[in-house]
């Protein structure tokens, strides 16, 4: 597999500050980790609410079948590739994405920038106590970081109002929402106008990793596209369907689109 662009491949769309591709009906930003950090800092210091979301192979399969989720992604201000499958799949369809951006890798570094710029965080999601522990560990790694609140992610729809009040009173610049896809994106999309927060950011299982609750696997495996395998080995009961069946479905989905594009081209 190469990163070369097919002659007939669609060029990325540049609109305002964004350079994006249309990957299987989802608008995905073409940017590396430095570019992501710059855009996050700008959004967090601007007036919001801006929405930032990620996609991986599992997300793309959900987006294919769930139009509300797909619309939430396409209404976001930035969507980055968090899984290597999306980078490979996009390349197979002739799009160039520089690489994946994975929160567990970049968040401690980003938090040092947040600390320097006085950017306050609120962490919403995961099991009771996990976001709080993730916040404590981030503060230890990024001295001066302000985590102004945390809340678990297992609440009933009727409790959203109270939680939104709690978040607004804490006055964060960034709300990290780690409730898994598509739940977090739909929650962000639904409650966007009531959240007085410049940046709403879906982060999936990030708090589990940052808190040490879930192990990530050896770095060399993560660096070579096998994060999914490490996650599968750690949580086989929950994730076998997502990775063993989902990855095959995703590959077939991408190959099907590639054949269809070739037929149209030819
Ligand atoms: N989660 C949550 N509320 C829920 C369901 C899940 O806060 O109602 C949390 C869960 O504890 C975990 C995260 O959402 O921390 C989902 O992690 P996963 O790795 O599945 O996220 P994804 O791969 O979808 O990004």
């Amino acid at each position: 597999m190469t990163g070369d662009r097919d002659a007939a491949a669609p060029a990325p769309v540049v609109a305002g500050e964004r350079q994006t591709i249309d990957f299987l009906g989802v608008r995905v930003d073409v940017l590396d980790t430095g570019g992501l950090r710059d855009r996050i800092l700008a959004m967090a210091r601007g007036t919001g609410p801006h929405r930032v979301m990620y996609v991986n192979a599992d997300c793309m399969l959900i987006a294919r079948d769930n139009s509300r989720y797909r619309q939430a992604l396409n209404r976001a201000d930035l969507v980055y590739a968090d899984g290597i499958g999306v980078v490979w799949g996009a390349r197979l369809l002739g799009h160039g994405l520089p690489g994946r951006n994975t929160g567990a890798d970049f968040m401690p570094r980003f938090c040092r920038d947040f600390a320097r710029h006085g950017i306050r965080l609120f962490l919403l999601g995961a099991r009771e106590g996990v976001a709080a522990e993730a916040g404590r560990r981030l503060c230890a790694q990024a001295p001066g970081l302000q985590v102004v609140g945390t809340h678990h992610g297992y609440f009933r729809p009727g409790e959203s109002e109270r939680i939104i009040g709690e978040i607004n009173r804490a006055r964060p610049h960034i709300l990290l929402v780690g409730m898994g896809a598509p739940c977090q994106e739909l929650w962000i999309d639904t409650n966007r106008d009531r959240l007085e927060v410049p940046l709403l950011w879906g982060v999936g299982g990030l708090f589990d990793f940052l808190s040490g609750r879930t192990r990530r696997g050896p770095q060399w495996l993560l660096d070579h596209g096998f994060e999914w395998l490490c996650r599968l080995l750690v949580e086989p009961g929950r994730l076998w369907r997502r990775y063993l069946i989902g990855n095959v479905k995703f590959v077939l989905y991408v190959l099907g689109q590639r054949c269809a594009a070739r037929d149209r081209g030819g």
Side-chain angles (χ1 to χ4, degrees):
M1 203 175 301
T2 74
D4 293 341
R5 169 175 290 284
D6 288 351
V13 176
V14 183
E17 288 173 61
R18 288 184 81 176
Q19 186 184 5
T20 60
I21 59 166
D22 177 340
F23 180 54
L24 305 173
V26 175
R27 193 176 177 198
V28 180
D29 288 73
V30 180
L31 81 188
D32 59 14
T33 309
L36 177 64
R37 188 207 43 220
D38 293 346
R39 297 276 307 284
I40 293 283
L41 284 174
M43 286 190 242
R45 290 188 292 177
T47 49
H50 299 285
R51 286 163 288 183
V52 173
M53 300 174 185
Y54 64 85
V55 280
N56 53 35
D58 183 48
C59 297
M60 296 308 302
L61 291 174
I62 301 172
R64 182 185 58 178
D65 302 329
N66 182 334
S67 60
R68 275 190 64 213
Y69 172 53
R70 193 169 58 247
Q71 284 160 14
L73 289 171
N74 284 331
R75 276 197 285 259
D77 299 278
L78 192 160
V79 176
Y80 59 95
D82 137 296
I84 197 67
V86 169
V87 177
W88 287 346
R91 286 181 186 168
L92 207 57
L93 296 182
H95 297 297
L97 285 178
R100 69 175 191 149
N101 289 304
T102 304
D105 290 327
F106 65 64
M107 196 54 85
R109 271 184 289 140
F110 279 24
C111 282
R112 287 194 276 278
D113 290 321
F114 298 154
R116 239 191 328 277
H117 291 281
I119 289 171
R120 299 183 292 272
L121 302 186
F122 193 109
L123 278 50
L124 170 66
R127 295 268 169 209
E128 181 79 56
V130 174
E133 179 58 23
R136 275 191 290 277
R137 292 191 182 201
L138 282 174
C139 289
Q141 294 173 66
L145 180 70
Q146 299 176 64
V147 175
V148 293
T150 62
H151 196 288
H152 67 80
Y154 290 81
F155 53 89
R156 289 185 299 278
E159 292 177 273
S160 282
E161 208 55 59
R162 173 184 61 75
I163 294 166
I164 290 169
E166 206 175 298
I167 294 165
N168 288 343
R169 279 191 297 281
R171 302 186 57 245
H173 296 95
I174 301 179
L175 172 64
L176 300 178
V177 187
M179 303 196 294
C183 177
Q184 62 205 2
E185 289 80 9
L186 296 178
W187 192 85
I188 287 173
D189 206 48
T190 304
N191 296 300
R192 168 180 192 240
D193 292 333
R194 290 183 293 157
L195 285 157
E196 295 155 15
V197 182
L199 175 52
L200 312 172
W201 185 356
V203 294
L206 178 68
F207 305 146
D208 294 322
F209 296 117
L210 294 179
S211 66
R213 185 177 187 270
T214 303
R215 279 179 298 116
R216 263 190 95 204
Q219 194 62 44
W220 63 273
L221 270 182
L222 305 180
D223 290 344
H224 288 85
F226 289 102
E227 175 122 36
W228 64 273
L229 182 61
C230 301
R231 293 196 66 182
L232 179 62
L233 293 174
V234 172
E235 293 182 271
R238 185 172 81 92
L239 297 176
W240 72 270
R241 191 182 295 276
R242 179 189 298 187
Y243 291 125
L244 295 184
I245 297 180
N247 283 359
V248 174
K249 276 188 175 174
F250 176 72
V251 170
L252 294 176
Y253 183 24
V254 172
L255 290 176
Q257 294 299 313
R258 185 179 158 94
C259 290
R262 283 207 166 153
D263 288 348
R264 279 196 301 272

